[in-house]
Amino acid sequence: MTDSSQQESLLDPEHGAITGTGAKTARGAAFLLGTKLSGRALDFISLVVLTHLLRPADFGMVSLAMSVIYLAEAVFELPLYQALVVLDLIDKEHLDTAFTLSFLRGFTICIVILVVSVPFSIFYDNFRLLPLLMALSLAPAFRGMQSPGLALYAKRLDFSRECVIELVGKGCAMTVAVLVALTTRSYWAIAAATITSSVVSMAVSYVISEYKPRFTLSRWNDFRNFLGWSSGAQILSAVNWQYDRLILGRLVSAPTLGAFSIASDLVAIPSQAIAVPLSRPLLSALVACRDNLGRLRNLYRLSNAAVFMVILPIFIEMSSLSQEIVHSILGPKWEKSVTYIALLSIPPIIAGLAEGIGALVMTFKKNHLYMRLNTIEFCLKIPIITGVSIFFGAIGACWARIGVAFIMMFVCLATTKSLIKMPYTEIFFQNWRTGLAGIVSCLAIEGMKYGILPATWPGLARLFILAGSGIGVYILALLVLWYLNGKKADDIEAKIIGTCLSRFRS
């Protein structure tokens, strides 16, 4: 427990003043990235176990229920964490106000979900959704009540406590999911894991953040303007994210919806493990140097190139190896997911070219731009996905996602240009080697699948050999292209190689 002087130092943004922002950002990002990868590995293990113990129809029903939960969370979204990080000075009353708002939000979400659960069950003609929704309403209530004191550490690019919370919550959730699935073979295993993760994470956050909650709204004015635009944008973002599942719930069978949901969840794991955790240290770093446009542009350029360089080969391999992934890991009853995984792996690649736009918008406190981006996506996604899904079902929804992602990429790049005067050509040019290396990797995988590797080999062995070969070819192609392009010191490849050599020498 800290004494009063230590507490005051925590609340002082000048305490541990940010020096070497790039290095701190890299360390914080690496720490969060490692933790998120570990957490998503636990999610993946849990998902694989559940796919063998439960039916596609079970996943379809839970996916439908979770869509309601996500939408309810979004409607009452209060991005308090981001608001605290962006504030120039955080005091105890700011934290107490954030806690009070979180408590009120959680209580409201529970009430709203209880109210809508009956008409929702009637609309989808499935009354098993009623008790499921009532139980799942606890998850967002606890998830949103994590200690606001964590923002104090994030402002100094210290994410160690968040990493502990992540791993403990995921570990407990996986244990509960497997135990309930083994004993009941019921979709309640997924619900139990969701609730457990939220409750445990919330409890641990107060144990390790050294923050004692108190009810007050004395600092409401410091949050009001920020939350207005951000909350509206979050609502549209959640609708954009969940709409395809909601419309498919009325148009396709439960097993088909389950297969689509599993594919969507699998594809989301790399994004949530890589892009999402990097957004927090990036936001803190951009805020620290927002008064120096040159440094900010360089930091954004390097972070965008680094994230795209990491996510591109992952999604290329998911798309190219979708059949091997399903057959060797999920099992034959998930055959429908093969095509869905192959197609749904494409939108994250397209979106990766504009990665970091959310942190950039929040850095300049221009949250109306975030609202504008989500509104444009909403206006594109709703009519396109609805029309295509009516005629082509889940396959149509996949292609609709690809089309919308392509349009939104240019919209996000235009916003980036307006904020930091960074033209499209600069972003495309800095990533051309990564894109070409990805194409070479894809061609190598396809060539090995159909021309070299025997089809009679075990599925898991084929998957590991093909995946490893694809990554090896990608790295080699990337290094060769960088060498042929002159080995420039300000390229992201030079930064990564320099860091690796430094670590090796030490």
Side-chain angles (χ1 to χ4, degrees), residues 26-45:
R27 286 196 297 270
F31 205 68
L32 269 183
L33 186 59
T35 304
K36 280 291 183 181
L37 288 173
S38 301
R40 290 305 164 186
L42 295 175
D43 284 343
F44 179 72
I45 294 170

Side-chain angles (χ1 to χ4, degrees), residues 353-354 408-417 422 424 427-428:
L353 288 169
M408 287 305 302
M409 175 192 67
F410 286 101
V411 175
C412 291
L413 291 179
T415 304
T416 301
K417 182 180 180 181
M422 192 172 185
Y424 301 168
I427 294 178
F428 283 121

Side-chain angles (χ1 to χ4, degrees), residues 56 128 175 187 256 304 357 398 402 404 446 457:
R128 290 184 299 170
T175 303
Y187 54 83
T256 300
N304 174 273
I357 183 64
C398 294
I402 295 172
V404 172
E446 295 300 322
W457 282 29

Side-chain angles (χ1 to χ4, degrees), residues 212-378:
K212 294 182 178 180
R214 182 174 68 91
F215 288 105
T216 181
L217 291 174
S218 60
R219 295 290 188 178
W220 163 247
N221 287 333
D222 291 335
F223 290 91
R224 182 175 55 188
N225 294 333
F226 185 91
L227 298 180
W229 288 111
S230 298
S231 298
Q234 190 67 24
I235 294 171
L236 292 176
S237 177
V239 174
N240 293 335
W241 181 30
Q242 295 296 319
Y243 182 72
D244 48 11
R245 303 192 195 201
L246 291 171
I247 191 66
L248 289 176
R250 290 285 295 176
L251 298 175
V252 301
S253 64
T256 300
L257 178 60
F260 178 87
S261 300
I262 283 293
S264 184
D265 291 342
L266 279 175
V267 170
I269 287 176
S271 295
Q272 293 170 348
I274 298 172
V276 173
L278 290 179
S279 65
R280 288 190 173 185
L282 177 60
L283 174 60
S284 299
L286 291 176
V287 169
C289 60
R290 63 184 163 195
D291 294 330
N292 187 327
L293 184 60
R295 285 182 60 198
L296 188 146
R297 285 185 60 187
N298 188 55
L299 181 60
Y300 178 80
R301 178 182 67 83
L302 290 174
S303 64
N304 174 273
V307 173
F308 187 67
M309 184 179 292
V310 173
I311 67 174
L312 179 65
I314 295 174
F315 288 111
I316 282 178
E317 296 210 346
M318 289 191 74
S319 182
S320 299
L321 301 175
S322 59
Q323 186 171 0
E324 285 75 13
I325 292 172
V326 170
H327 289 175
S328 60
I329 297 178
L330 301 184
K333 64 183 176 182
W334 296 96
E335 179 66 31
K336 282 186 176 181
S337 297
V338 172
T339 304
Y340 303 150
I341 293 174
L343 294 176
L344 292 176
S345 298
I346 299 175
I349 296 175
I350 300 172
L353 288 169
E355 192 61 54
I357 183 64
L360 199 60
V361 167
M362 289 184 181
T363 297
F364 289 100
K365 299 182 181 180
K366 295 187 176 181
N367 300 306
H368 64 283
L369 295 178
Y370 191 47
M371 179 73 173
R372 181 190 300 173
L373 291 174
N374 283 283
T375 301
I376 293 173
E377 185 176 2
F378 178 85

Side-chain angles (χ1 to χ4, degrees), residues 1 29 34 94-95 121 123 129-130 153 204 216 230 244 247 263 279 282 299 305 356 358 372 390 398 451 455 460 474:
M1 184 68 66
H94 281 121
L95 300 181
S121 303
F123 181 75
L129 288 168
L130 181 60
Y153 303 98
V204 174
T216 181
S230 298
D244 48 11
I247 191 66
S279 65
L282 177 60
L299 181 60
R372 181 190 300 173
I390 289 174
C398 294
L460 201 58
Y474 171 77

